[in-house]
């Protein structure tokens, strides 16, 4: 993670030597921007990402019919 921050509840995991994963359950709605860096024998690259999390649903409403 070069800049910004992952959302609370998410984490960056090194799944394999060449594979990363962002996983977890975000705890807040909003738009979040961060930059990740990848490096290997051929060089280094940075890339900006934006994740938008929608607000949780309110459970809806129910209509009972008799």
């Amino acid at each position: 993670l070069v800049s910004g921050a992952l959302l609370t509840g998410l984490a960056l995991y090194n799944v394999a030597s060449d594979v990363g994963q962002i996983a977890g359950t975000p705890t807040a709605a909003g738009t979040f921007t961060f930059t990740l860096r990848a490096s290997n024998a051929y060089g280094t690259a940075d890339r900006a990402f934006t994740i938008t999390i929608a607000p949780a649903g309110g459970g809806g409403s129910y209509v009972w019919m008799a």
Side-chain angles (χ1 to χ4, degrees), residues 13-64:
Y13 297 96
N14 185 19
V15 177
S17 63
D18 62 344
V19 178
Q21 174 183 355
I22 296 173
T25 302
T27 60
T31 299
F32 304 87
T33 301
F34 53 91
T35 301
L36 298 178
R37 175 172 290 153
S39 299
N40 64 18
Y42 299 101
T44 300
D46 293 354
R47 180 156 179 193
F49 293 88
T50 300
I51 294 178
T52 301
I53 305 299
S61 60
Y62 301 92
V63 177
W64 295 95

